[in-house]
Amino acid sequence: MGNQKEERVGIMSQVEAVPIKELRVSPFNVRKRVGELDDLKSSIKSIGLLQPIVVRDVKGKLEVVIGQRRFLACKALNWDTIPAVRRELSDREALVLSLTENVQMDSLDPIDRAEGTEKLIKDLEKEMPRTKAVDIAATTLGKGSSTIYDWLRLLETTEAVKRMVQEKRMEIEIGARLASLPKQQQTEVARVIQEESLPRSQAAKVIEYVGRQPKLPAREAIKTFLRETEEYSVTVSLPGSLYRALSEFAQARKLTVQEIIRRAIRKFLAS
C-alpha cells in the first residue's frame, strides 16, 4: 500500500502548469475530428480541468499526446497555462498511448480509430509481417483481430459510407462488409440498406448477393434478392448428411443452401 501511495504522489508531483502558447497537437494524436467543444468548455469553465493533459518534448517543442480536446477547449477559453504531465515517449509510444487511451474511453470517431490503427500497423510492419502486426495491434488495444480487420476495411469504403458509419447511421460491421464491393456499388448498396431498414444479418446477405451479381445494377440486384427472399421464404429441416451435401454443392457454385432450395422451388413451380 505504501508503494502505491508513493507512486500516486510521484505522478501528481509531475503535474505542472505549461504555457498554452508553447503547445502544439502531436502529429501522432489519432483524433483528427475534434467535434464541437461547447459542452466541454462549459464544464471546464464551471468546475475546472479535472485531469491534466499528457505532453512530450520533441526537440525543444511540447506536443499534446493525450487531452487534445481539453487543450483546445482551454485555449478557446483564453487560459494562459494548462495542467500537464511530461512524458518521455518515442513516436510509436506516443501513437500507442493516444490510440489506447481513446479506444478504452470509446470516444473516438470510427474512421479516426481505423486510421490510427492502420498507422500503428504500418509502423510495426517495419519489423514483422502484416498479419503479426495486426495481432500485436489487437493485443495492445485489447480487441480481437477480427475487430481490427473490420476497422481497417472501413478505410476501403467510399466517403459516403464512412460518413454513415461516423454518424452512426450504419453499423461498423456492415460498413466493413461493403468494402468487399467495388466502390461504384458501395454507396448505392448502403443507401438501399438504409431505405429498407435492413437488420444486420439481412444486410450482410444483401451485400454478398450483390457481389455475386456484378452485371446487375446494385439497386436492381438488391430488389431482386429481397423479392425472392420474401416470395420463397421457407423453413426446411434437412438430415445432417443431406445438408452437408447441399452445402458442398452450393459452395462449389458460390451460392447459399437457401438459394439452391429457392431455385429448386422456382423450377418446380415453373414445370
Side-chain angles (χ1 to χ4, degrees), residues 32-193:
K32 305 305 178 188
R33 299 158 183 84
V34 176
E36 63 87 20
L37 297 171
D38 290 345
D39 288 346
L40 181 56
K41 287 192 293 182
S42 296
S43 173
I44 292 174
K45 195 172 182 180
S46 174
I47 60 176
L49 191 64
L50 300 179
Q51 187 177 5
I53 64 173
V54 176
V55 302
R56 70 168 184 157
D57 191 314
V58 181
K59 297 179 180 178
K61 296 186 181 295
L62 292 177
E63 293 183 349
V64 178
V65 178
I66 292 179
Q68 177 186 8
R69 296 184 80 250
R70 281 169 277 157
F71 160 63
L72 294 175
C74 291
K75 186 176 182 180
L77 291 170
N78 296 316
W79 283 23
D80 294 323
T81 62
I82 185 171
V85 175
R86 293 183 191 237
R87 295 275 301 272
E88 290 186 11
L89 299 167
S90 66
D91 290 348
R92 181 181 293 177
E93 288 170 337
L95 174 60
V96 169
L97 189 61
S98 174
L99 188 56
T100 304
E101 171 84 1
N102 283 287
V103 168
Q104 288 177 349
M105 293 177 63
D106 197 24
S107 63
L108 203 57
D109 176 286
I111 304 305
D112 281 351
R113 182 174 59 196
E115 289 173 346
T117 304
E118 175 65 18
K119 192 171 184 178
L120 172 59
I121 291 168
K122 287 286 188 186
D123 189 52
L124 291 169
E125 277 188 282
K126 297 173 185 175
E127 304 166 11
M128 62 193 72
R130 183 172 177 85
T131 51
K132 187 172 182 181
V134 171
D135 289 341
I136 289 178
T139 301
T140 301
L141 299 175
K143 302 292 181 181
S145 295
S146 60
T147 297
I148 299 300
Y149 279 116
D150 274 350
W151 293 357
L152 300 179
R153 289 187 191 102
L154 290 177
L155 301 179
E156 301 171 22
T157 61
T158 63
E159 291 303 314
V161 172
K162 289 174 184 172
R163 279 196 302 274
M164 291 180 193
V165 173
Q166 287 172 313
E167 295 167 2
K168 298 183 179 179
R169 292 184 287 125
M170 175 164 289
E171 295 182 59
I172 290 172
E173 293 81 359
I174 296 305
R177 283 180 177 271
L178 284 166
S180 65
L181 299 177
K183 284 198 172 182
Q184 61 267 27
Q185 289 185 316
Q186 291 176 10
T187 302
E188 185 69 7
V189 172
R191 285 174 179 157
V192 177
I193 287 173

Side-chain angles (χ1 to χ4, degrees), residues 237-250 257:
S237 178
L238 299 173
S241 58
L242 179 55
Y243 184 82
R244 285 193 295 273
L246 270 176
S247 294
E248 292 175 4
F249 181 79
V257 171

Side-chain angles (χ1 to χ4, degrees), residues 25 94 104 116 176 236 269:
V25 175
Q104 288 177 349
V236 181
L269 293 174

